Amino acid sequence: MTLTLPTLLVLDADPPPRLGRLTGRARVVHTDAAHLAERLPEADVLLVWDFTSHAVREAWPGAGPRPRWVHTASAGVDHLMCPELAASETVVTNARGVFDQPIAEYVAALVLAVAKDLPRTLELQRERTWHHRETRRVAGTRACVVGSGPIGRAIARTLKALDVTTALVGRVPRTGVHGPGDLDRLISRADWVIAAAPLTEQTHGMFDAHRFGVMQPSTVFVNVGRGPLVDEDALAEALRRRWIAGAALDVFAAEPLPGDSPLWGLPGLIVSPHMSGDTVGWRDELGIQFVELYERWAAGRSLVNVVDKKRGYVPGH
């Protein structure tokens, strides 16, 4: 009797995932965004390797069967969720755990770079200018980290190691985590406000003119969550008027950030190209994580990193 292998459909990005361990255990089919809709009905499992693509959201509502399981090689799932997928019986998992500490280290690097005025130091070096300045002490400052998932908690732990007093804000208050009702009070006292929340209906645009107005003139804002958490026009106004001291954005409403975007030239803003979680070997880690999940799925064991499709993230923490 011929054994029928499950069909694993991979929405590709370059370089493709290493799936050699699944040889003989899955029929692997690769597709691009343009052909995803026609390939979806044949798939038992969909691996969204191209996690910057919105192709799943666009293709899912079509006719025919749909995969029983979708895994995205990213922490966020907003790029693939649509009402039809949310209402289906398909299980969605994410790459929870891979990016936590790298992003935390990146945030700590930004805090130190801004406090110690490293961008200006490098600029002066290029100009061959000797200009002595005083810089800020990090120890004893206050941070408010918005987003209490694994990434937010890793950021809080790393900042505490720098002796930064850190408050964590989540969707619901619990031991060690403040609720949304405390957000304005906490950011009004914070030297560092770090956005690390998932993108949901509740968090879309949460950092607006009001929130930037609540912050201190000495506050630095950092976004390593999702671009649409921030009203970018309101942030630009806050920086131009010096309502806040500075900002660092690793994520944007439009990516790549267009060359004519005014954000590039804003005073006090550090722009990075969505790289805070991407350390050497990160793609291999994502591939290994998926293969381990696939082995659980094929063995009939329960999956981990299961996303609550209504909430838009993995609950429970």
Side-chain angles (χ1 to χ4, degrees), residues 34-149:
H35 297 92
L36 178 63
E38 65 188 71
R39 291 293 182 90
L40 270 180
E42 66 183 280
D44 298 294
V45 180
L46 173 63
L47 167 58
V48 185
W49 190 248
D50 184 1
F51 53 81
T52 65
S53 171
H54 293 109
V56 176
R57 184 192 299 169
E58 295 161 4
W60 195 272
R66 289 295 179 259
R68 291 174 281 160
W69 168 35
V70 173
H71 177 77
T72 178
S74 61
V77 299
D78 50 278
H79 60 289
L80 57 86
M81 293 305 298
C82 62
E84 291 82 2
L85 175 54
S88 73
E89 295 182 359
T90 297
V91 176
V92 175
T93 57
N94 72 354
R96 179 186 178 105
V98 172
F99 300 106
D100 307 353
Q101 193 55 36
I103 292 177
E105 292 171 4
Y106 198 87
V107 169
L110 288 170
V111 167
L112 289 167
V114 171
K116 303 308 176 185
D117 200 22
L118 293 185
R120 180 63 176 148
T121 294
L122 295 173
E123 193 176 304
L124 290 169
Q125 180 181 347
R126 285 191 292 271
E127 297 171 359
R128 297 173 180 254
T129 300
W130 183 278
H131 176 51
H132 181 270
R133 289 108 60 220
E134 295 177 346
T135 61
R136 297 176 66 180
R137 184 191 294 264
V138 171
T141 59
R142 295 175 179 269
C144 177
V145 180
V146 184
S148 60

Side-chain angles (χ1 to χ4, degrees), residues 166-182:
T166 306
L168 200 56
V169 178
R171 187 180 63 89
V172 293
R174 53 195 183 277
T175 303
V177 178
H178 296 268
D182 293 329

Side-chain angles (χ1 to χ4, degrees), residues 6 8 18-26 28 45 47 69 71 93 285-304:
L8 166 59
R18 297 183 181 183
L19 301 174
R21 277 172 54 183
L22 299 183
T23 301
R25 292 190 282 175
V28 181
V45 180
L47 167 58
W69 168 35
H71 177 77
T93 57
E285 288 186 55
L286 289 171
I288 290 168
Q289 181 188 57
F290 173 74
V291 168
E292 291 175 349
L293 283 170
Y294 184 90
E295 290 171 343
R296 292 178 68 98
W297 178 82
R301 298 165 59 200
S302 59
L303 290 167
V304 296

Side-chain angles (χ1 to χ4, degrees), residues 232 251-266 269 271-273:
E232 292 176 350
V251 287
F252 301 86
E255 296 183 5
L257 186 64
D260 60 354
S261 170
L263 294 176
W264 289 106
L266 281 177
L269 177 62
V271 171
S272 59

